């Protein structure tokens, strides 16, 4: 995380074809992180762990990524 995130953010800044998509797996306060300006998944930034059906949450993430990269 200390190396990958800054590198990904820098690459996304230089190349508009590169997308950073935060995926929230568990509840945490990520609002002050450098990647907080990006659209997070699952929808409404609700962590996967809080969904009653984890498979549905993961499907939402996959569909969101597919939509963003099209």
């Amino acid at each position: 995380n200390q190396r990958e995130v800054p590198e990904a953010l820098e690459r996304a800044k230089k190349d508009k074809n590169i997308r950073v998509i935060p995926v929230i797996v568990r509840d945490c306060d990520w609002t002050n992180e450098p990647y907080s300006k990006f659209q997070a998944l699952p929808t409404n930034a609700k962590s996967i762990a809080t969904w009653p059906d984890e498979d549905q949450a993961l499907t939402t993430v996959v569909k969101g990524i597919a939509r963003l990269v099209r």
Side-chain angles (χ1 to χ4, degrees):
N1 185 25
Q2 291 179 351
R3 186 172 137 211
E4 291 88 358
V5 171
E7 185 176 315
L9 295 173
E10 188 61 33
R11 289 181 67 198
K13 190 188 305 183
K14 292 178 181 177
D15 185 343
K16 298 302 177 194
N17 292 315
I18 295 175
R19 304 216 180 199
V20 174
I21 306 169
V23 176
I24 305 171
V25 177
R26 299 199 185 286
D27 284 342
C28 61
D29 181 16
W30 60 279
T31 57
N32 292 316
E33 295 297 327
Y35 46 83
S36 64
K37 64 183 176 187
F38 297 97
Q39 175 63 50
L41 294 171
T43 51
N44 299 327
K46 182 179 174 186
S47 73
I48 291 171
T50 63
W51 286 57
D53 184 343
E54 208 170 277
D55 289 336
Q56 186 179 29
L58 292 169
T59 300
T60 300
V61 169
V62 169
K63 287 180 177 180
I65 291 171
R67 187 175 49 254
L68 290 169
V69 297
R70 273 191 219 125

